[in-house]
Structure formats: structure tokens, C-alpha cells
Amino acid sequence: MSRAGKYPVNIPSGTTVSKTDAAIVVKGPKGTNEVPLTHKSSDLVNVEIKDNQVIVTPKDAEDKASRAMWGAMTRNIKIAVEGASVGFKKEMAMKGVGYKAQVKGKDLVLVAGYSHDVVMPLPAGITVEIVAPTEFNIVGIDKQKVGQFADTVRRVRKPEPYKGKGIFYKNETLRRKEGKKK
């Protein structure tokens, strides 16, 4: 059983958290995030904001669904606070002859070994920072959107195991295979 719900979510300075009927709204220096309060979640947990902390408690500690929603809600609020105050970043790299990435307007243009350039429109709230021609960062305040777009970019040219060519996460460990022996 996860014990994530037992710990309150600390609100950093410069970030405000408010509760409405439909959502928990987090405003910070990077932007605004919302954690929706569905009918099911509001029936299972209580959310209180006091003393620069968000405290989530289950309505029925014996109910399995209530305990599950307790941990899930606490983590969702924690991620929203972290995104609004600090943001999320995925570091990506490319390896291959002629591979490069560039941003043109609101599009990410990848040269990844195809006969054409791969043009990917940037989702709302996502920016791409080019560090080097073969290295770039995907930045945003929504952890799910950043991860989803990073995975979509990686799927353009997955790293192959023999030469290691492709698009990959910078901290990813690539499993290399040995070629045929003569």
C-alpha cells in the first residue's frame, strides 16, 4: 500500500493553491495547473488548504477505493504544484549522420535519416529548447503532456541496438547488441 497520502503537499513561496467546486487550481511563476475534482474523488476524499500546505484525507479510512483515491489525489496535487512552480523537462538527444533538430515557429523540425524532414507541431503549453544541433529539451508545466510529446518525438526514430542511432532520452541506457561474428 502506498503511503503517499499521509504526507501533506508543501506550497512553495510564489505559488498559490485554491479550491473550487470543480478543481484544485495551482498558480505559480511558470503558469497555472488544475487538478479536477470529479464526482467520484470528491465523494472519497477531503482536500483542505492551510498553513502553506495542502492536506488530503480519506472520508472513510476503511474503504479501499477511498484509500486509493487519497494517494492518487495527493500525488496529482503534488505534481501540479511542482509543475506550476518549477516546471518539467525531458532532455533528448539524437545520434546519427546528419541528424539534427530545430524549431521553426511553432513546429519542431527533425532531420532523422528519412528522405524528408519530420515536422511536428508543438502542443499547447510545450516549448522546445535547442541545446546543440543533436540535443534538445522539451519543457512544460504539465508532466503528462511533456512526457507524451517526448515519447512521440522518440518514436520518430527509435534507437537501434547495433549502432545506437536514433532519438533517445539523454539519461536512457541503450541496450547494445553485438553484430555477427565471422
Side-chain angles (χ1 to χ4, degrees), residues 3-180:
R3 289 164 181 80
K6 292 184 180 182
Y7 303 104
V9 177
N10 294 321
I11 303 170
S13 60
T15 305
T16 60
V17 178
S18 60
K19 181 181 175 187
T20 64
D21 291 337
I24 304 290
V25 180
V26 181
K27 293 181 183 177
K30 297 285 184 181
T32 303
N33 268 343
E34 287 189 6
V35 178
L37 291 174
T38 61
H39 177 68
K40 184 177 181 180
S41 64
S42 60
D43 287 346
L44 297 174
V45 294
N46 293 321
V47 179
E48 298 176 11
I49 303 166
K50 57 182 167 184
D51 299 332
N52 285 335
Q53 290 184 334
V54 180
I55 301 167
V56 181
T57 55
K59 287 190 177 177
D60 182 13
E62 300 300 317
D63 183 30
K64 188 174 183 179
S66 183
R67 285 195 323 263
M69 187 59 71
W70 178 32
M73 213 42 187
T74 303
R75 284 297 181 192
N76 289 343
I77 293 170
K78 184 176 181 177
I79 288 169
V81 168
E82 185 180 343
S85 60
V86 180
F88 295 102
K89 174 170 69 170
K90 289 279 189 181
E91 296 176 342
M92 308 287 289
M94 304 171 80
K95 182 179 176 186
V97 177
Y99 284 27
K100 66 179 179 177
Q102 56 188 353
V103 176
K104 288 186 180 177
K106 294 191 181 264
D107 295 330
L108 174 64
V109 180
L110 301 171
V111 178
Y114 293 113
S115 61
H116 59 281
D117 295 349
V118 179
V119 179
M120 303 180 77
L122 296 175
I126 300 292
T127 58
V128 174
E129 301 168 347
I130 304 296
V131 179
T134 58
E135 295 179 7
F136 56 96
N137 298 331
I138 299 172
V139 182
I141 62 170
D142 188 350
K143 187 174 186 178
Q144 191 275 332
K145 282 184 181 178
V146 170
Q148 181 69 43
F149 187 67
D151 185 58
T152 305
V153 169
R154 185 178 181 274
R155 287 181 188 202
V156 168
R157 181 70 85 176
K158 286 186 179 180
E160 58 96 13
Y162 296 101
K163 293 182 181 178
K165 292 173 26 174
I167 302 172
F168 50 91
Y169 301 113
K170 211 166 184 186
N171 61 354
E172 181 178 10
T173 304
L174 298 177
R175 295 192 68 198
R176 300 292 299 270
K177 290 184 180 179
E178 190 176 322
K180 289 184 178 180

